[in-house]
mmCIF file of all heavy atoms in Angstrom:
data_model
loop_
_atom_site.group_PDB
_atom_site.id
_atom_site.type_symbol
_atom_site.label_atom_id
_atom_site.label_comp_id
_atom_site.label_asym_id
_atom_site.label_seq_id
_atom_site.Cartn_x
_atom_site.Cartn_y
_atom_site.Cartn_z
ATOM 1 N N LEU A 432 188.887 80.920 124.751
ATOM 2 C CA LEU A 432 189.548 80.981 126.062
ATOM 3 C C LEU A 432 189.898 82.419 126.377
ATOM 4 O O LEU A 432 190.505 83.097 125.545
ATOM 5 C CB LEU A 432 190.861 80.189 126.028
ATOM 6 C CG LEU A 432 190.795 78.740 125.552
ATOM 7 C CD1 LEU A 432 192.194 78.225 125.264
ATOM 8 C CD2 LEU A 432 190.147 77.892 126.628
ATOM 9 N N CYS A 433 189.567 82.881 127.580
ATOM 10 C CA CYS A 433 189.818 84.287 127.882
ATOM 11 C C CYS A 433 190.162 84.479 129.354
ATOM 12 O O CYS A 433 189.526 83.894 130.233
ATOM 13 C CB CYS A 433 188.577 85.105 127.531
ATOM 14 S SG CYS A 433 188.856 86.877 127.665
ATOM 15 N N GLY A 434 191.168 85.311 129.606
ATOM 16 C CA GLY A 434 191.494 85.679 130.977
ATOM 17 C C GLY A 434 192.954 85.476 131.315
ATOM 18 O O GLY A 434 193.843 85.989 130.625
ATOM 19 N N ASN A 435 193.185 84.702 132.371
ATOM 20 C CA ASN A 435 194.531 84.475 132.906
ATOM 21 C C ASN A 435 195.416 83.773 131.865
ATOM 22 O O ASN A 435 195.082 82.688 131.397
ATOM 23 C CB ASN A 435 194.381 83.605 134.165
ATOM 24 C CG ASN A 435 195.685 83.405 134.888
ATOM 25 O OD1 ASN A 435 196.694 83.067 134.283
ATOM 26 N ND2 ASN A 435 195.660 83.594 136.191
ATOM 27 N N PRO A 436 196.562 84.374 131.504
ATOM 28 C CA PRO A 436 197.402 83.789 130.453
ATOM 29 C C PRO A 436 197.944 82.411 130.794
ATOM 30 O O PRO A 436 198.152 81.587 129.879
ATOM 31 C CB PRO A 436 198.554 84.796 130.294
ATOM 32 C CG PRO A 436 198.402 85.802 131.354
ATOM 33 C CD PRO A 436 197.046 85.687 131.968
ATOM 34 N N ALA A 437 198.151 82.145 132.087
ATOM 35 C CA ALA A 437 198.658 80.814 132.464
ATOM 36 C C ALA A 437 197.567 79.759 132.231
ATOM 37 O O ALA A 437 197.856 78.651 131.762
ATOM 38 C CB ALA A 437 199.107 80.813 133.914
ATOM 39 N N MET A 438 196.324 80.117 132.527
ATOM 40 C CA MET A 438 195.212 79.185 132.253
ATOM 41 C C MET A 438 195.142 78.906 130.753
ATOM 42 O O MET A 438 194.984 77.760 130.319
ATOM 43 C CB MET A 438 193.889 79.791 132.750
ATOM 44 C CG MET A 438 192.653 78.953 132.480
ATOM 45 S SD MET A 438 191.960 79.048 130.798
ATOM 46 C CE MET A 438 191.175 80.640 130.773
ATOM 47 N N ILE A 439 195.298 79.967 129.966
ATOM 48 C CA ILE A 439 195.183 79.807 128.512
ATOM 49 C C ILE A 439 196.313 78.932 127.982
ATOM 50 O O ILE A 439 196.086 78.028 127.165
ATOM 51 C CB ILE A 439 195.149 81.193 127.830
ATOM 52 C CG1 ILE A 439 193.824 81.889 128.190
ATOM 53 C CG2 ILE A 439 195.325 81.077 126.310
ATOM 54 C CD1 ILE A 439 193.698 83.314 127.726
ATOM 55 N N GLU A 440 197.509 79.151 128.481
ATOM 56 C CA GLU A 440 198.653 78.369 128.017
ATOM 57 C C GLU A 440 198.489 76.888 128.366
ATOM 58 O O GLU A 440 198.719 76.010 127.537
ATOM 59 C CB GLU A 440 199.943 78.942 128.631
ATOM 60 C CG GLU A 440 201.215 78.317 128.125
ATOM 61 C CD GLU A 440 201.304 78.250 126.593
ATOM 62 O OE1 GLU A 440 200.757 79.139 125.912
ATOM 63 O OE2 GLU A 440 201.911 77.285 126.080
ATOM 64 N N GLU A 441 198.063 76.630 129.602
ATOM 65 C CA GLU A 441 197.904 75.228 130.020
ATOM 66 C C GLU A 441 196.765 74.551 129.253
ATOM 67 O O GLU A 441 196.862 73.394 128.854
ATOM 68 C CB GLU A 441 197.650 75.147 131.529
ATOM 69 C CG GLU A 441 198.903 75.453 132.342
ATOM 70 C CD GLU A 441 198.623 75.603 133.829
ATOM 71 O OE1 GLU A 441 197.776 74.864 134.370
ATOM 72 O OE2 GLU A 441 199.244 76.482 134.456
ATOM 73 N N THR A 442 195.701 75.301 129.033
ATOM 74 C CA THR A 442 194.560 74.722 128.302
ATOM 75 C C THR A 442 194.945 74.479 126.839
ATOM 76 O O THR A 442 194.595 73.447 126.256
ATOM 77 C CB THR A 442 193.331 75.662 128.382
ATOM 78 O OG1 THR A 442 193.094 75.978 129.740
ATOM 79 C CG2 THR A 442 192.094 75.009 127.790
ATOM 80 N N ARG A 443 195.681 75.436 126.299
ATOM 81 C CA ARG A 443 196.140 75.288 124.909
ATOM 82 C C ARG A 443 196.909 73.967 124.729
ATOM 83 O O ARG A 443 196.686 73.240 123.761
ATOM 84 C CB ARG A 443 197.053 76.471 124.576
ATOM 85 C CG ARG A 443 197.634 76.469 123.171
ATOM 86 C CD ARG A 443 198.837 77.390 123.102
ATOM 87 N NE ARG A 443 198.500 78.770 123.368
ATOM 88 C CZ ARG A 443 198.136 79.656 122.426
ATOM 89 N NH1 ARG A 443 198.084 79.279 121.164
ATOM 90 N NH2 ARG A 443 197.862 80.889 122.740
ATOM 91 N N LYS A 444 197.779 73.669 125.691
ATOM 92 C CA LYS A 444 198.563 72.422 125.599
ATOM 93 C C LYS A 444 197.641 71.207 125.641
ATOM 94 O O LYS A 444 197.815 70.253 124.883
ATOM 95 C CB LYS A 444 199.561 72.346 126.762
ATOM 96 C CG LYS A 444 200.765 73.244 126.556
ATOM 97 C CD LYS A 444 201.792 73.012 127.654
ATOM 98 C CE LYS A 444 202.831 74.115 127.608
ATOM 99 N NZ LYS A 444 203.293 74.532 128.922
ATOM 100 N N MET A 445 196.649 71.262 126.520
ATOM 101 C CA MET A 445 195.729 70.120 126.633
ATOM 102 C C MET A 445 194.917 69.936 125.353
ATOM 103 O O MET A 445 194.677 68.820 124.910
ATOM 104 C CB MET A 445 194.787 70.318 127.818
ATOM 105 C CG MET A 445 195.448 70.007 129.145
ATOM 106 S SD MET A 445 194.216 70.040 130.458
ATOM 107 C CE MET A 445 194.619 71.562 131.213
ATOM 108 N N LEU A 446 194.519 71.057 124.763
ATOM 109 C CA LEU A 446 193.728 70.960 123.531
ATOM 110 C C LEU A 446 194.599 70.421 122.391
ATOM 111 O O LEU A 446 194.139 69.621 121.564
ATOM 112 C CB LEU A 446 193.126 72.327 123.176
ATOM 113 C CG LEU A 446 192.121 72.887 124.196
ATOM 114 C CD1 LEU A 446 191.603 74.250 123.756
ATOM 115 C CD2 LEU A 446 190.947 71.926 124.419
ATOM 116 N N HIS A 447 195.861 70.843 122.367
ATOM 117 C CA HIS A 447 196.808 70.325 121.371
ATOM 118 C C HIS A 447 196.902 68.809 121.470
ATOM 119 O O HIS A 447 196.877 68.105 120.463
ATOM 120 C CB HIS A 447 198.194 70.937 121.596
ATOM 121 C CG HIS A 447 198.505 72.026 120.621
ATOM 122 N ND1 HIS A 447 199.093 71.782 119.402
ATOM 123 C CD2 HIS A 447 198.300 73.352 120.689
ATOM 124 C CE1 HIS A 447 199.235 72.926 118.758
ATOM 125 N NE2 HIS A 447 198.750 73.906 119.511
ATOM 126 N N GLU A 448 197.002 68.333 122.714
ATOM 127 C CA GLU A 448 197.119 66.883 122.920
ATOM 128 C C GLU A 448 195.881 66.147 122.416
ATOM 129 O O GLU A 448 195.941 64.974 122.080
ATOM 130 C CB GLU A 448 197.334 66.575 124.407
ATOM 131 C CG GLU A 448 198.774 66.807 124.837
ATOM 132 C CD GLU A 448 198.914 66.883 126.354
ATOM 133 O OE1 GLU A 448 197.983 66.464 127.076
ATOM 134 O OE2 GLU A 448 199.968 67.399 126.806
ATOM 135 N N ARG A 449 194.769 66.863 122.360
ATOM 136 C CA ARG A 449 193.530 66.252 121.847
ATOM 137 C C ARG A 449 193.389 66.449 120.348
ATOM 138 O O ARG A 449 192.322 66.221 119.771
ATOM 139 C CB ARG A 449 192.308 66.866 122.536
ATOM 140 C CG ARG A 449 192.158 66.459 123.991
ATOM 141 C CD ARG A 449 191.168 67.375 124.658
ATOM 142 N NE ARG A 449 190.833 66.977 125.996
ATOM 143 C CZ ARG A 449 189.638 66.479 126.365
ATOM 144 N NH1 ARG A 449 188.686 66.308 125.478
ATOM 145 N NH2 ARG A 449 189.407 66.156 127.611
ATOM 146 N N GLY A 450 194.433 66.982 119.710
ATOM 147 C CA GLY A 450 194.416 67.144 118.250
ATOM 148 C C GLY A 450 193.785 68.449 117.793
ATOM 149 O O GLY A 450 193.502 68.631 116.604
ATOM 150 N N MET A 451 193.590 69.386 118.732
ATOM 151 C CA MET A 451 192.962 70.665 118.354
ATOM 152 C C MET A 451 194.032 71.717 118.071
ATOM 153 O O MET A 451 195.122 71.673 118.638
ATOM 154 C CB MET A 451 192.035 71.131 119.456
ATOM 155 C CG MET A 451 190.893 70.173 119.700
ATOM 156 S SD MET A 451 189.736 70.850 120.876
ATOM 157 C CE MET A 451 188.548 69.529 120.970
ATOM 158 N N ARG A 452 193.696 72.690 117.235
ATOM 159 C CA ARG A 452 194.648 73.719 116.817
ATOM 160 C C ARG A 452 193.996 75.103 116.892
ATOM 161 O O ARG A 452 192.782 75.234 116.723
ATOM 162 C CB ARG A 452 195.090 73.459 115.362
ATOM 163 C CG ARG A 452 195.836 72.153 115.159
ATOM 164 C CD ARG A 452 197.209 72.176 115.847
ATOM 165 N NE ARG A 452 197.912 70.898 115.776
ATOM 166 C CZ ARG A 452 197.922 69.974 116.750
ATOM 167 N NH1 ARG A 452 197.252 70.186 117.870
ATOM 168 N NH2 ARG A 452 198.589 68.851 116.616
ATOM 169 N N PRO A 453 194.817 76.159 117.098
ATOM 170 C CA PRO A 453 194.246 77.508 117.094
ATOM 171 C C PRO A 453 193.799 77.918 115.703
ATOM 172 O O PRO A 453 194.398 77.481 114.713
ATOM 173 C CB PRO A 453 195.415 78.386 117.568
ATOM 174 C CG PRO A 453 196.647 77.601 117.283
ATOM 175 C CD PRO A 453 196.276 76.155 117.340
ATOM 176 N N VAL A 454 192.781 78.731 115.653
ATOM 177 C CA VAL A 454 192.330 79.264 114.362
ATOM 178 C C VAL A 454 193.386 80.250 113.874
ATOM 179 O O VAL A 454 193.821 81.125 114.631
ATOM 180 C CB VAL A 454 190.979 79.992 114.517
ATOM 181 C CG1 VAL A 454 190.580 80.667 113.213
ATOM 182 C CG2 VAL A 454 189.896 79.037 114.979
ATOM 183 N N ARG A 455 193.818 80.108 112.650
ATOM 184 C CA ARG A 455 194.749 81.068 112.039
ATOM 185 C C ARG A 455 194.079 81.663 110.813
ATOM 186 O O ARG A 455 193.104 81.124 110.301
ATOM 187 C CB ARG A 455 196.050 80.375 111.625
ATOM 188 C CG ARG A 455 196.772 79.731 112.777
ATOM 189 C CD ARG A 455 197.846 80.642 113.322
ATOM 190 N NE ARG A 455 198.656 79.969 114.320
ATOM 191 C CZ ARG A 455 198.728 80.322 115.598
ATOM 192 N NH1 ARG A 455 198.018 81.345 116.044
ATOM 193 N NH2 ARG A 455 199.498 79.682 116.447
ATOM 194 N N ARG A 456 194.682 82.742 110.349
ATOM 195 C CA ARG A 456 194.071 83.499 109.253
ATOM 196 C C ARG A 456 193.574 82.612 108.106
ATOM 197 O O ARG A 456 192.424 82.672 107.720
ATOM 198 C CB ARG A 456 195.089 84.507 108.723
ATOM 199 C CG ARG A 456 194.489 85.589 107.888
ATOM 200 C CD ARG A 456 195.552 86.572 107.519
ATOM 201 N NE ARG A 456 195.798 87.514 108.610
ATOM 202 C CZ ARG A 456 195.357 88.774 108.586
ATOM 203 N NH1 ARG A 456 194.688 89.218 107.561
ATOM 204 N NH2 ARG A 456 195.599 89.575 109.581
ATOM 205 N N MET A 457 194.471 81.759 107.595
ATOM 206 C CA MET A 457 194.085 80.933 106.444
ATOM 207 C C MET A 457 193.768 79.492 106.851
ATOM 208 O O MET A 457 193.444 78.682 105.999
ATOM 209 C CB MET A 457 195.205 80.932 105.382
ATOM 210 C CG MET A 457 195.569 82.308 104.853
ATOM 211 S SD MET A 457 194.160 83.156 104.141
ATOM 212 C CE MET A 457 194.079 82.355 102.556
ATOM 213 N N ASN A 458 193.921 79.203 108.142
ATOM 214 C CA ASN A 458 193.764 77.817 108.597
ATOM 215 C C ASN A 458 192.635 77.678 109.597
ATOM 216 O O ASN A 458 192.713 78.245 110.681
ATOM 217 C CB ASN A 458 195.053 77.350 109.296
ATOM 218 C CG ASN A 458 196.067 76.859 108.308
ATOM 219 O OD1 ASN A 458 195.721 76.406 107.228
ATOM 220 N ND2 ASN A 458 197.322 76.989 108.679
ATOM 221 N N PRO A 459 191.619 76.928 109.263
ATOM 222 C CA PRO A 459 190.574 76.714 110.254
ATOM 223 C C PRO A 459 191.129 75.928 111.433
ATOM 224 O O PRO A 459 192.050 75.132 111.269
ATOM 225 C CB PRO A 459 189.524 75.907 109.501
ATOM 226 C CG PRO A 459 190.198 75.370 108.303
ATOM 227 C CD PRO A 459 191.395 76.208 108.018
ATOM 228 N N GLY A 460 190.604 76.158 112.604
ATOM 229 C CA GLY A 460 191.060 75.444 113.796
ATOM 230 C C GLY A 460 189.921 75.286 114.755
ATOM 231 O O GLY A 460 188.759 75.541 114.415
ATOM 232 N N GLN A 461 190.258 74.887 115.983
ATOM 233 C CA GLN A 461 189.205 74.588 116.959
ATOM 234 C C GLN A 461 189.124 75.606 118.088
ATOM 235 O O GLN A 461 188.153 75.620 118.824
ATOM 236 C CB GLN A 461 189.436 73.192 117.569
ATOM 237 C CG GLN A 461 189.171 72.055 116.617
ATOM 238 C CD GLN A 461 190.245 71.909 115.556
ATOM 239 O OE1 GLN A 461 191.433 72.080 115.835
ATOM 240 N NE2 GLN A 461 189.844 71.605 114.336
ATOM 241 N N PHE A 462 190.187 76.435 118.275
ATOM 242 C CA PHE A 462 190.083 77.369 119.405
ATOM 243 C C PHE A 462 190.697 78.733 119.112
ATOM 244 O O PHE A 462 191.552 78.873 118.241
ATOM 245 C CB PHE A 462 190.674 76.748 120.683
ATOM 246 C CG PHE A 462 192.143 76.434 120.643
ATOM 247 C CD1 PHE A 462 193.086 77.364 121.039
ATOM 248 C CD2 PHE A 462 192.586 75.178 120.229
ATOM 249 C CE1 PHE A 462 194.440 77.065 121.032
ATOM 250 C CE2 PHE A 462 193.945 74.868 120.211
ATOM 251 C CZ PHE A 462 194.869 75.818 120.612
#
Side-chain angles (χ1 to χ4, degrees):
L432 306 166
C433 187
N435 185 312
M438 178 280 286
I439 291 174
E440 186 50 32
E441 287 171 37
T442 308
R443 179 199 297 270
K444 283 186 192 143
M445 282 188 255
L446 296 179
H447 258 271
E448 281 164 16
R449 289 165 173 250
M451 298 186 181
R452 297 292 175 263
V454 174
R455 300 264 187 244
R456 196 175 279 256
M457 301 303 281
N458 276 333
Q461 289 73 39
F462 63 90

